[in-house]
Amino acid sequence: MRSLVGFWILLLGCSALCHAAPVASTFSKEDEILAEKYISRFYGDEGVTNPSPRRISKRSFTENLKSMQSFYGLEVTGALNNETLEVIKSPRCGVPDVSLYVHFSGRPKWEKKLLSYRITRYTPDLTQETVDATIAQAFQLYSDIVPLDFRQIHIGTADIEIFFAAKEHGDGDPFDGKSGVLAHATRPRKGQGGFAHFDEDETWTVTDKDINLLLVAAHEFGHALGLAHSKERSALMYPTYLYVNTTGYKLPDDDRRGIQALYGRRKPEPEKPTEDPFHSPEDEQCNRTLVIDAATSFSGDLLFFKNGYYWRKSSEGINFTKVNSKWSQINTVDAAYEVPHQDVVYLFEGAKYWGIKADSETVMSEYPKNLTNLGLPPSVTHVDAAVYESTTKKTFIFSGSQYWKYDDGSHQMDPGYPRDIKRDFPGIGSRVDAAFENYGNLFLSNGPRQSEYNMACRKVMRVLLNYGWLGCY
């Protein structure tokens, strides 16, 4: 039996059923057939998705219609009426209905903690960047509360494949046009990947107009993670589509309880103290033993971070600023790097990182993201340094005594990593505290000592001290 599940289905593709219970003559033949199809699919064989067309008796239609009316809190009559028909005509999901939060039969779930996803076909209704950000936000609704992480990849096979398509699209369950099936997805399947498909005949938005992608995607990902439907009207996993304000949206309580029953709770990160834990390092600017936390180029300037502050070296001089007075979401910076041709600077703090638009110096809307989004293993909870090398167009990410090489074009880690810092960067030591590129060479700091390193020669050209960049010579 296939494990395909769908989201907010209105018209079903099965043939007309016969020998159904009679319905009131005030309803059209089209309404009668619609009701028969609806009851057959969603209440005729509990627990089966996408059932084949079958004949139903007068008794089964009546009893199953009563079940449907009871589920939705309607008057239980066993006969079709206007209120019942209104529910039947509402956009909804293709999974049979259940009560409150429920898992699929057998409680299937993912056994791994890091799931990859790949969007192979985008909708023209939204920009690619908006789709990426919205899909990431939908996954984050779950990763915020359960110990799962999600990483977007752009090549290769992902755990969950995502695309937009119309009509027949290769999975044996064709979409049926505008206002019918909105999307469908697979439940977790042992040893197999999954997918979530979105009907391109819908108009996708991130507002209250037409079909809101965040709400649909989050519902589908609930199925992909193991949630069936809920009888709770306020739940995201309620069968019918209903727009709610998505500003600051979090999973409703029923969905939260359901997903945590499968995967457990995510341990909260330690709360940051309300008092500033960082002493100002301003008086260390010209100290020969100055150790910096991070460094990066930034639109032609250089930034040097320490203890939640940074020095900005520009043609106009050196300014000293507190990090969260500039970027309120970030308290201290562990690592940083700029990708000049993308006009983006990335700042790292703990297990998260932010993208900053270099021209406006503002945080990009889809951030923060987890380190696992870069392809780093979950065991890496802190990055010591990062630097984009313009010749190879690759970013070196350093943590402990190892480093990774990341391709900012394909958004993939190069294979064969991590590798040993001391072996591949002879002469600089076994770790890197801060790194940036300047005039074609890499400047790699280890404690107060800094090595100017030529990648082509794999050689240290000279040894400097960090404080020399801050107008102290």
Side-chain angles (χ1 to χ4, degrees):
M1 183 180 298
R2 299 180 59 214
S3 57
L4 181 66
V5 296
F7 189 33
W8 294 306
I9 293 178
L10 174 58
L11 298 177
L12 307 178
C14 53
S15 60
L17 305 173
C18 47
H19 298 291
V23 292
S25 60
T26 56
F27 300 105
S28 68
K29 186 64 176 178
E30 183 182 33
D31 287 341
E32 294 175 9
I33 292 173
L34 178 62
E36 291 163 1
K37 289 179 179 180
Y38 185 99
I39 296 303
S40 175
R41 177 155 187 170
F42 298 115
Y43 293 88
D45 190 1
E46 185 178 359
V48 176
T49 61
N50 296 320
S52 59
R54 59 191 181 279
R55 302 165 77 91
I56 55 177
S57 68
K58 176 180 179 179
R59 175 176 174 78
S60 66
F61 179 87
T62 301
E63 294 306 311
N64 290 330
L65 184 61
K66 286 182 179 180
S67 296
M68 175 263 180
Q69 291 169 329
S70 175
F71 180 90
Y72 282 99
L74 307 174
E75 182 183 3
V76 180
T77 64
L80 191 62
N81 54 44
N82 289 330
E83 188 179 20
T84 301
L85 187 61
E86 182 180 356
V87 172
I88 288 173
K89 288 185 175 182
S90 299
R92 60 150 294 153
C93 182
V95 184
D97 292 332
V98 291
S99 179
L100 298 179
Y101 82 75
V102 169
H103 309 123
F104 291 113
S105 177
R107 289 171 58 94
K109 67 175 185 176
W110 293 91
E111 298 303 328
K112 57 173 67 176
K113 297 299 185 184
L114 174 63
L115 299 177
S116 62
Y117 65 92
R118 181 181 176 190
I119 306 172
T120 58
R121 198 181 310 164
Y122 287 81
T123 174
D125 300 338
L126 300 165
T127 66
Q128 181 172 325
E129 291 77 12
T130 299
V131 173
D132 284 344
T134 304
I135 294 298
Q137 184 181 357
F139 277 119
Q140 190 173 348
L141 292 173
Y142 295 95
S143 64
D144 279 346
I145 61 172
V146 296
L148 291 176
D149 290 299
F150 304 93
R151 173 170 62 92
Q152 183 178 5
I153 65 174
H154 298 268
I155 58 174
T157 302
D159 294 311
I160 301 173
E161 178 196 49
I162 299 167
F163 66 65
F164 294 78
K167 304 301 190 296
E168 176 57 54
H169 52 280
D171 63 10
D173 192 39
F175 288 127
D176 57 358
K178 192 172 182 66
S179 296
V181 180
L182 302 188
H184 53 219
T186 49
R187 67 191 70 181
R189 302 177 296 178
K190 188 173 182 179
Q192 302 181 60
F195 62 73
H197 298 161
F198 298 84
D199 188 359
E200 189 50 72
D201 281 333
E202 310 301 336
T203 301
W204 297 98
T205 72
V206 291
T207 67
D208 60 344
K209 307 301 181 184
D210 296 299
I211 305 299
N212 183 278
L213 179 58
L214 175 64
L215 295 174
V216 177
H219 180 110
E220 290 307 318
F221 298 156
H223 286 319
L225 296 176
L227 289 180
H229 281 153
S230 172
K231 192 175 179 180
E232 174 59 52
R233 289 180 179 272
S234 64
L236 174 68
M237 299 309 295
Y238 191 68
T240 56
Y241 172 80
L242 175 66
Y243 174 80
V244 297
N245 190 336
T246 58
T247 302
Y249 184 79
K250 301 292 184 184
L251 282 185
D253 287 345
D254 186 68
D255 308 290
R256 176 183 53 79
R257 290 193 297 268
I259 200 68
Q260 289 180 336
L262 274 179
Y263 296 98
R265 296 187 179 188
R266 192 176 197 105
K267 294 180 180 179
E269 296 181 3
E271 292 186 8
K272 294 184 173 69
T274 54
E275 295 182 4
D276 184 0
F278 308 113
H279 72 275
S280 171
E282 188 171 15
D283 57 354
E284 297 181 51
Q285 180 171 330
C286 290
N287 190 328
R288 289 177 59 87
T289 62
L290 174 66
V291 176
I292 56 177
D293 298 332
T296 184
S297 55
F298 199 118
S299 297
D301 297 346
L302 289 174
L303 272 58
F304 300 91
F305 297 87
K306 184 175 178 66
N307 269 20
Y309 295 80
Y310 67 93
W311 291 275
R312 183 166 189 158
K313 180 181 177 68
S314 69
S315 58
E316 299 177 355
I318 298 174
N319 292 315
F320 185 72
T321 308
K322 191 173 184 179
V323 171
N324 64 16
S325 69
K326 180 68 173 179
W327 301 291
S328 60
Q329 302 177 43
I330 310 170
N331 287 289
T332 186
V333 175
D334 302 324
Y337 74 94
E338 179 182 30
V339 184
H341 67 276
Q342 294 181 358
D343 192 39
V344 177
V345 175
Y346 296 97
L347 304 181
F348 295 74
E349 180 181 7
K352 297 184 182 295
Y353 67 102
W354 288 257
I356 311 294
K357 289 296 291 182
D359 55 356
S360 62
E361 301 190 3
T362 57
V363 175
M364 298 162 67
S365 60
E366 62 267 34
Y367 290 88
K369 295 182 179 181
N370 293 325
L371 295 181
T372 51
N373 189 73
L374 294 168
L376 290 168
S379 58
V380 176
T381 59
H382 173 93
V383 170
D384 293 325
V387 59
Y388 176 81
E389 204 277 310
S390 57
T391 303
T392 60
K393 293 182 170 57
K394 299 291 179 73
T395 297
F396 297 98
I397 299 176
F398 303 89
S399 182
S401 61
Q402 297 179 313
Y403 78 101
W404 288 257
K405 190 184 289 186
Y406 180 73
D407 189 320
D408 284 274
S410 66
H411 304 284
Q412 292 283 313
M413 283 292 181
D414 282 5
Y417 290 84
R419 292 173 60 91
D420 186 71
I421 294 172
K422 192 171 184 178
R423 181 182 62 187
D424 289 358
F425 293 86
I428 72 165
S430 60
R431 62 175 292 120
V432 178
D433 296 326
F436 62 95
E437 185 183 62
N438 200 43
Y439 297 110
N441 285 337
L442 301 184
F443 290 81
L444 308 173
S445 294
N446 183 343
R449 176 178 174 270
Q450 186 181 82
S451 300
E452 182 178 1
Y453 192 84
N454 184 283
M455 284 296 297
C457 301
R458 294 189 65 199
K459 179 180 178 182
V460 174
M461 307 304 292
R462 57 177 174 157
V463 177
L464 310 167
L465 292 175
N466 291 324
Y467 86 112
W469 291 93
L470 299 177
C472 300
Y473 280 153

